[in-house]
Amino acid sequence: MAQAYMTETGSGGHGPDRRGSRFRRLFDGWGGDRGIWRRGLVLAAIAILLALVMLTHAQIPNRIGNLGSLTETFLPWAGLLIPVLLVLALVRKSVTALIAVLLPAVVWLNVFGGLLTDKTGSGGDLTVATHNVNADNPDPSGTARDVAASGADVLALEELTASAVPVYERALASTYKYHSVQGTVGLWSKYPLSGTRPVDIKLGWTRAMRATVTAPAGQVAVYVAHLPSVRVKMEAGFTARQRDKSADALGEAIADEPLKQVVLLGDLNGTMNDRALNAVTAQMRSTQGAAGSGFGFSWPASFPMARIDQIMVKGIEPVTSWTLPETGSDHLPVAARVSMDATAS
């Protein structure tokens, strides 16, 4: 009688056990290897340098190509280097490098860890939104409908062209009874507007405005601004001198505002980390930082890498903040809901 023999093949070299063995092999041979402390010194130095950049970014000078502002604009992305360094330290079998990688990890979490938590709340009595609609937007009417669908009580639009303004006015007329366009920025509101005027941000033409919105919970001063663009040039670095000058002028205007409750909506062409915006950011709170979830990157729309479209408040409590879906613009719209103080008007 023939006898059958069964051979246990297991997983054939595939599956979780196989993958687990590969991971374990990264630690094979560590015991008794004195070189684990001597190897990886270059990796350790890179990790320490990365930590120092994140810790001392405010000390990086702007005199050469605005290098400090450029670093601060994309500072959150420095965290991507940490897992790369970690893997290299494991492959190199270097305890020194592994310990060093802890430094930038701790610094990054200290600086940006709070943004990873969900701080959104409920309630509030005023919803605001802002959107750089892009002067070359191929579908301004559709963009207007999209942002109006957000439910915003107050909507700011930037980069308006003379030919597109009537399109936005028609598309938003049924949702917003009140509106004002000043230069290339505009404000649409479900509540009455007063005290509407352009704001001089030292450009020679109008890219900022101010209005009083009389909402059910009281009056709030709403500023809309589109600060000058910045450019990264090989011969000049991060060119932002005009943007910085306009930011200072905008900060002065907000500081002189007589109303206690203030909202700033707009494309500031800079992040909250950028020191060049200190004239504004030092006196206002970001709704995304205070009541958002995640970084809320808004530009470029196809692959957002930075939040340069801002909603900031003073004398008002942010409740929730979020990014809206992509429209025909190269920016994403952003929105927030805030809680006003009826006794502050």
Side-chain angles (χ1 to χ4, degrees), residues 132-154:
N132 179 326
V133 295
N134 187 0
D136 298 322
N137 192 319
D139 184 19
S141 182
T143 294
R145 289 192 299 270
D146 288 343
V147 291
S150 68
D153 301 308
V154 177

Side-chain angles (χ1 to χ4, degrees), residues 115-135:
L115 293 174
L116 300 179
T117 61
D118 186 349
K119 300 178 290 298
T120 58
S122 58
D125 42 38
L126 185 70
T127 301
V128 297
T130 182
H131 190 25
N132 179 326
V133 295
N134 187 0

Side-chain angles (χ1 to χ4, degrees), residues 114-120 286-294 319-322:
L115 293 174
L116 300 179
T117 61
D118 186 349
K119 300 178 290 298
T120 58
S286 163
T287 59
Q288 183 67 25
S293 177
V319 173
T320 185
S321 187
W322 66 98

Side-chain angles (χ1 to χ4, degrees), residues 57-73 236-241 243-244 273-278:
H57 61 86
Q59 308 306 317
I60 299 175
N62 261 340
R63 292 188 299 274
I64 304 174
N66 273 72
L67 183 60
S69 286
L70 178 60
T71 301
E72 290 164 340
T73 296
F238 190 62
T239 59
R241 183 173 301 174
R243 190 279 311 267
D244 300 350
N273 295 315
D274 191 340
R275 76 192 72 171
L277 301 184
N278 280 351

